[in-house]
Amino acid sequence: MFFVQKLDAHLGGANLHTFLGISQPPLSLDYFIRRGMRTIKAVLTETVIPNLQLIAGAQDILALSNPKQSQTQKIIRHIRSLDADHIIIDLPTGMAPHVFDFFLISDNGILLCTPEPTSLENAYHFIRAAFLHRWMNMATNKE
């Protein structure tokens, strides 16, 4: 059986649940982080799509829109523990460190852009910054 889990990593304004037909997710990353849940599996929400579960991002939680490094690393550790054929992480735009951290844990990253100079330039800047972020983390972890 093909099993997919989807993580909405828009930590300050998640809306992927709406796209999947869920008006208000019962639990979200907010519960996982701020209430000290032991496993991220506790916040998985079933969707109407067979074999697709959602981990809803925090909604309107300003404090989690820019998470501490320890919070980001906790989420990443638990993402890696999920038992799924594929895990799709929906990221917000921007160049915040946690966005790079989530992007860089994937085997394959997909950037969406339009054929306009500003969109292509932003995509280039993101890729360049993500590479530098990975390189800086590798240099820091060697010490």
Side-chain angles (χ1 to χ4, degrees):
M1 179 177 290
F2 193 67
F3 195 63
V4 178
Q5 292 170 339
K6 193 158 175 86
L7 168 69
D8 189 350
H10 290 253
L11 300 179
N15 60 7
L16 189 55
H17 62 279
T18 304
F19 180 73
L20 294 170
I22 301 168
S23 61
Q24 188 70 14
L27 298 173
S28 68
L29 283 175
D30 178 48
Y31 288 91
F32 175 67
I33 292 295
R34 298 188 347 151
R35 300 205 178 154
M37 294 182 132
R38 298 183 73 180
T39 176
I40 203 164
K41 294 173 188 172
V43 298
L44 285 169
T45 301
E46 295 295 329
T47 68
V48 295
I49 301 168
N51 302 322
L52 176 68
Q53 294 176 315
L54 171 68
I55 298 172
Q59 298 175 330
D60 301 323
I61 306 295
L62 187 57
L64 204 54
S65 64
N66 190 18
K68 298 175 188 169
Q69 183 65 21
S70 61
Q71 293 170 323
T72 300
Q73 291 307 312
K74 178 181 178 182
I75 294 169
I76 289 171
R77 274 192 319 276
H78 285 265
I79 289 171
R80 288 183 171 145
S81 74
L82 291 170
D83 184 26
D85 295 304
H86 295 283
I87 299 171
I88 300 168
I89 304 173
D90 181 29
L91 296 172
T93 59
M95 300 221 187
H98 72 278
V99 174
F100 294 130
D101 289 335
F102 288 130
F103 182 78
L104 292 171
I105 66 168
S106 66
D107 294 329
N108 298 300
I110 299 171
L111 290 173
L112 299 178
C113 60
T114 60
E116 297 173 359
T118 54
S119 181
L120 295 171
E121 185 176 4
N122 287 341
Y124 166 76
H125 287 301
F126 181 86
I127 292 168
R128 181 173 165 237
F131 172 80
L132 291 173
H133 185 80
R134 175 175 275 167
W135 182 73
M136 289 172 46
N137 282 344
M138 288 172 47
T140 302
N141 292 334
K142 285 185 178 180
E143 296 175 1

